[in-house]
Amino acid sequence: MTLKEIIHLLQAELICGESHINDNIEFAGGSDLMSDVLAFAKPGILLLTGLSNSQSVRTADIIEAKAIVYVRGKKPDPEGLKLAKKKDIPVLLTEFMMYTACGLLYSHNLPGVYSESDKKS
Amino acid sequence: MTEKENVLSRKFEIQGKDFSRAGSISSKIKEILQETGISNSIIRRAAIATYEAELNVVMYADKGILYFSLDPDSIRLKIDDKGKGIKDISLAMKEGYSTATEEYREMGFGAGMGLPNIKKNADKFTITSRVGKGTTLEILFCLNNSEVL
């Protein structure tokens, strides 16, 4: 699924990283807890979060996320946005709640990050 | 900064409680490693471990120093902090155990995943601590499948 399709699906606004609009996203994960993101994420992830401080962008950079989606009307703080622009990480804003945003993406065949619990189900 | 005999060394100061700058050293180290041609998977593991270690100093210590060195066989990190130290290291190494404040949890951290995640990403990890003095982490990543442990 391309970033452009994700923007459409989530009725999202892209506030930086426009050059990546046709990039392909293969999987996603959602969390407000960056500790967990650092532990489970894989390179290329689409990160959905409601955490708007600059550490959300810093974490996305460290884990090599392909893009960040801020859910439930959140947006990165100015320092975070500056960092996203510097690191060339696309940032999307959606009004959807985390559950709905993840559900929409999943139901349109964007899988989650593989985990042991996925394997059991 | 010193560079001799194929060893690149850097020293970074970490300020405790300065959450706004947390992660800047990890980013810098990641940039240094990206210029070297080291495989992306090793760079990523080193960046995650550095970030977790940096965050630990910011959240739990007054200040700390991160020593970084790169030689043809390995990446070595040593993080020395001045702080309250860790009373029970085996407990601190358990996933989910945390003494983080509510403030840090609201910032998205302090879930008790940091130290276990450093260990998971490193090829070798040692931790020593003295209560009331501080904590030292030593983290090693092997390059080229070399045996440097």
Side-chain angles (χ1 to χ4, degrees):
Chain A
M1 187 183 292
T2 65
L3 204 54
K4 195 175 183 177
E5 290 170 316
I6 290 166
I7 291 167
H8 179 71
L9 200 55
L10 298 181
Q11 299 169 32
E13 180 189 356
L14 179 70
I15 60 168
C16 73
E18 290 81 359
S19 65
H20 294 279
I21 197 150
N22 291 314
D23 284 7
N24 198 42
I25 307 285
E26 293 178 2
F27 54 93
S31 181
D32 288 353
L33 196 54
M34 294 301 109
S35 297
D36 274 351
V37 173
L38 284 163
F40 77 68
K42 291 183 168 56
I45 189 174
L46 174 74
L47 175 64
L48 291 94
T49 186
L51 187 78
S52 57
N53 65 28
S54 61
Q55 296 305 324
S56 57
V57 181
R58 184 73 72 185
T59 301
D61 176 43
I62 294 289
I63 60 166
E64 295 171 3
K66 217 152 190 179
I68 313 171
V69 179
Y70 288 93
V71 298
R72 57 177 192 272
K74 301 278 184 179
K75 56 177 77 170
D77 64 20
E79 205 173 334
L81 182 57
K82 192 175 160 189
L83 186 62
K85 286 177 178 170
K86 184 183 169 192
K87 298 290 181 181
D88 196 25
I89 302 171
V91 171
L92 283 66
L93 313 180
T94 180
E95 295 294 326
F96 286 121
M97 303 285 276
M98 175 71 92
Y99 180 79
T100 309
C102 292
L104 277 167
L105 295 172
Y106 193 81
S107 65
H108 284 77
N109 300 318
L110 187 67
V113 177
Y114 168 84
S115 70
E116 283 305 309
S117 55
D118 290 338
K119 196 177 171 183
K120 287 170 195 161
S121 62
Chain B
M1 174 173 109
T2 57
E3 286 176 61
K4 57 182 181 180
E5 296 170 6
N6 293 325
V7 178
L8 172 68
S9 301
R10 295 283 190 278
K11 178 183 168 185
F12 301 92
E13 289 183 9
I14 308 169
Q15 192 58 50
K17 317 295 180 281
D18 185 0
F19 214 76
S20 65
R21 286 178 58 198
S24 56
I25 296 168
S26 317
S27 287
K28 180 68 190 166
I29 287 175
K30 190 177 176 188
E31 285 169 16
I32 293 171
L33 293 174
Q34 282 170 332
E35 289 170 8
T36 62
I38 292 170
S39 82
N40 282 339
S41 65
I42 295 175
I43 292 174
R44 188 168 177 276
R45 287 196 286 121
I48 290 173
T50 311
Y51 186 41
E52 294 276 23
E54 197 181 344
L55 283 164
N56 273 353
V57 175
V58 171
M59 289 194 288
Y60 301 112
D62 300 323
K63 60 181 177 179
I65 296 175
L66 187 150
Y67 301 91
F68 162 84
S69 73
L70 171 67
D71 62 58
D73 296 320
S74 64
I75 301 163
R76 291 170 193 270
L77 299 167
K78 183 180 178 187
I79 300 95
D80 257 332
D81 77 42
K82 302 251 182 281
K84 57 188 174 185
I86 300 170
K87 192 175 177 183
D88 186 337
I89 288 177
S90 61
L91 196 56
M93 289 303 300
K94 283 187 180 168
E95 281 190 11
Y97 178 78
S98 175
T99 58
T101 62
E102 194 57 38
E103 181 191 3
Y104 289 134
R105 289 172 197 265
E106 284 172 5
M107 287 178 172
F109 297 95
M113 301 294 284
L115 290 174
N117 203 22
I118 293 172
K119 188 179 179 185
K120 186 181 92 178
N121 281 286
D123 288 315
K124 188 181 179 191
F125 171 62
T126 58
I127 174 168
T128 52
S129 191
R130 289 174 65 198
V131 174
K133 299 284 184 188
T135 301
T136 299
L137 308 183
E138 291 183 79
I139 309 166
L140 182 139
F141 302 89
C142 300
L143 306 176
N144 312 315
N145 298 318
S146 306
E147 187 58 53
V148 293
L149 302 179

